Structure formats: structure tokens, C-alpha cells
Amino acid sequence: MSQIDNAAVSAHLSHVRIVMVNTTLPANIGSALRAMKTMGLCKLVLVTPKTYPHPDIDALAAGATDLIEQIEIVETLEEAIKDCQIVFGTSARSRTIPWPLLDVRPAAEKALSAVVQEKQEIAILFGREDRGLTNEELAMANYHLTIPVNTDYGVLNVAQAIQVICYELRMAALDQVEHPRDPKATMQVIDGIEMEWDEPLVTHEQMEQFYPHLEKMLAEIEFMDPKNPRLLPLRLRRLFGRIQLDRMEYHLLRGIFTRVQALNNGTWKKSSHTSQQDEDQN
């Protein structure tokens, strides 16, 4: 490939971040950096790593030590993905509630399509070496991502998994550069009708304000018992994570939640009613 093409691929991949949660072995961080640089990725976010910094990171990142300076260290997973529109959580185990699941190749294609079409920020989450991501952490993802491995011995350590996924991301980015899509092909098809999306998707940070508001409203109208919510909050996260709200839909729904709360509490006055047209313009 020409240098110009390589620069275009790197530009696409600059919108994708690798997030490692509570990593125990510094060697895995170094190996991840090496895998990332080989495939043209540069953003690594570490959520409360057990040991950092460490000489093993430098040693295993041979040739990719420049990426060490770009590592972002955060305290929470929420902080790591707050400005992302699409989040993939890696998981090899079945969970309490089935989640939208994608093999690594279609997941990479979906991620790069979102980058090219909408300049969305993408995060790929990797969990602890011994137990992966928790159910609560996986619930923050829009999709669960899996690598189809040999069912007789499906063992990949975290650095190997990062290498495989980074490879697929690069292949998807190469395809986007070498075969630019017809703009008409970027339109979403809903109920057989083509339409161009007019609003950006909301970020994870915004959705983390949405869910408590929704749950509080449901508790106030006694639809959900806050002391025993069962799986309802998780199912609601799966629902809205799959839908992926845009900005207009987000404000519309939060306006509805607020109105329901006011009606339920007897604090809404008709004279203070905001027209639907005004709400639609928020």
C-alpha cells in the first residue's frame, strides 16, 4: 500500500480505542501495544491496572514504546468510554441475559463503517486475565464481541485476543479505504424505507445519565421495585443499547420521563406545558 493509503487507514483507526480493565500482568500491556502498533492503532486506555508502570511493559512493547507515552490511565470504565458512541465488550462466556453478539469480523466491519460514515468513537473492552469483564461491565457495551475459536481448545490470553481483533479492525479499515462506499449506501433502511440519519448518536456518558432517570421514573410510578428490580435495569440497558439513541430521541425520551414524574407527583401544571414543537427542537 502507498503511504497515503496507510495514512488514511491510520486515520480511521484513530477513532478506535482499546480498553483494558484491571490488567494484572504488565507484560500483557506491552504485548497489547505491540499488537496495536503492528495493525495501526494507537489509543490504549487502562482502567486501574494492577501494576503500572513496569519494565515488562517496555520490554514487551519492543518497537512500540512510543505508544506508552500515549496511554491514558483512568479510574473507572465509565470514564474510559464516556465519549464513545459504540462500545464492544469482549466475552467468551454465556451470561445471564443474552446480549447482541457479533463475531470479530462483522464487529470490525460495523465499527469501521460507523467511523467512516459518522466519525463515531469506538471502544473495544477487554477484561481481567482470570475472569474477563463482569456482567455489570458487559452491560455498558452495545454489543458483545467474540472470536470464533477451536471449540476443543478455545484459549486465548488477552494480548492474543487484542492481536486478532486489531488485525480484523485493520482489514476493515483497508476495505473502507480501498473500496469507498457509495454515499447512498450509508443510508439506514427502516421498514424498507431508505433514510439518511440527521442526528448524531449520543455518547456513553449521556446514556449513563439516561438510565438512572428512566429507573427513577419507573420506581416513582411503581412499575419497578428499586429494592428488588430483578433483571429489569439490565434488560432496559440491552434494549436501548441495541437501539442506540440519537440526540433528538434522547432529549425526547428524557422529556417524557420528566413529564410522567411531574404528573405522578402532581407538580405539573397545564399552564407550564411546553409545546411538542418546542420539545422537538431541544
Side-chain angles (χ1 to χ4, degrees), residues 45-269:
V45 183
L46 302 178
V47 180
T48 57
K50 299 293 184 181
T51 305
Y52 184 89
H54 194 277
D56 284 353
I57 297 176
D58 300 69
L60 272 293
T65 52
D66 57 310
L67 296 189
I68 295 176
E69 299 177 358
Q70 302 180 47
I71 292 176
E72 182 179 357
I73 310 293
V74 297
E75 293 296 322
T76 66
L77 181 54
E78 289 87 345
E79 186 179 354
I81 61 177
K82 65 182 181 181
D83 60 334
C84 292
Q85 283 82 24
I86 302 181
V87 178
F88 296 87
T90 56
S91 177
R93 295 177 291 178
S94 60
R95 301 290 174 161
T96 304
I97 297 180
W99 217 265
L101 181 67
L102 291 174
D103 283 350
V104 59
R105 186 158 299 174
E109 292 170 353
K110 183 173 184 65
L112 267 296
S113 178
V115 167
V116 172
Q117 295 175 22
E118 303 290 344
K119 298 301 181 186
Q120 294 175 12
E121 293 297 318
I122 311 296
I124 316 290
L125 314 183
F126 296 85
R128 301 149 192 82
E129 290 93 335
D130 58 342
R131 56 192 177 92
L133 295 164
T134 66
N135 286 334
E136 290 74 19
E137 290 163 347
L138 280 168
M140 297 182 192
N142 301 98
Y143 302 93
H144 290 179
L145 183 159
T146 187
I147 299 173
V149 295
N150 177 7
T151 55
D152 293 330
Y153 187 73
V155 180
L156 285 174
N157 71 25
V158 65
Q160 292 171 327
I162 289 173
Q163 179 73 81
V164 171
I165 292 172
C166 286
Y167 168 79
E168 293 292 348
L169 288 166
R170 183 170 185 81
M171 292 300 99
L174 283 168
D175 183 60
Q176 290 283 349
V177 170
E178 293 179 343
H179 305 97
R181 305 300 191 263
D182 183 335
K184 292 182 179 179
T186 66
M187 292 185 175
Q188 295 201 24
V189 179
I190 301 177
D191 294 332
I193 301 174
E194 286 188 349
M195 57 186 298
E196 188 173 358
W197 219 247
D198 60 347
E199 289 284 337
L201 297 181
V202 297
T203 63
H204 176 82
E205 183 176 34
Q206 290 171 303
M207 290 306 295
E208 287 307 305
Q209 299 169 22
F210 176 90
Y211 292 121
H213 192 181
L214 170 58
E215 292 171 21
K216 187 173 188 298
M217 182 269 292
L218 293 176
E220 288 181 7
I221 63 173
E222 299 183 2
F223 186 87
M224 181 184 77
D225 181 355
K227 295 181 180 179
N228 185 27
R230 298 181 180 271
L231 295 175
L232 181 57
L234 196 57
R235 291 188 181 278
L236 290 170
R237 279 182 173 268
R238 182 177 66 173
L239 168 63
F240 287 104
R242 185 172 69 248
I243 293 173
Q244 293 183 259
L245 298 175
D246 68 26
R247 183 172 55 191
M248 184 73 74
E249 295 162 343
Y250 172 86
H251 288 298
L252 174 63
L253 285 172
R254 291 203 66 182
I256 292 172
F257 299 163
T258 299
R259 179 64 52 79
V260 169
Q261 288 175 299
L263 288 169
N264 184 68
N265 298 329
T267 58
W268 179 68
K269 297 180 180 179

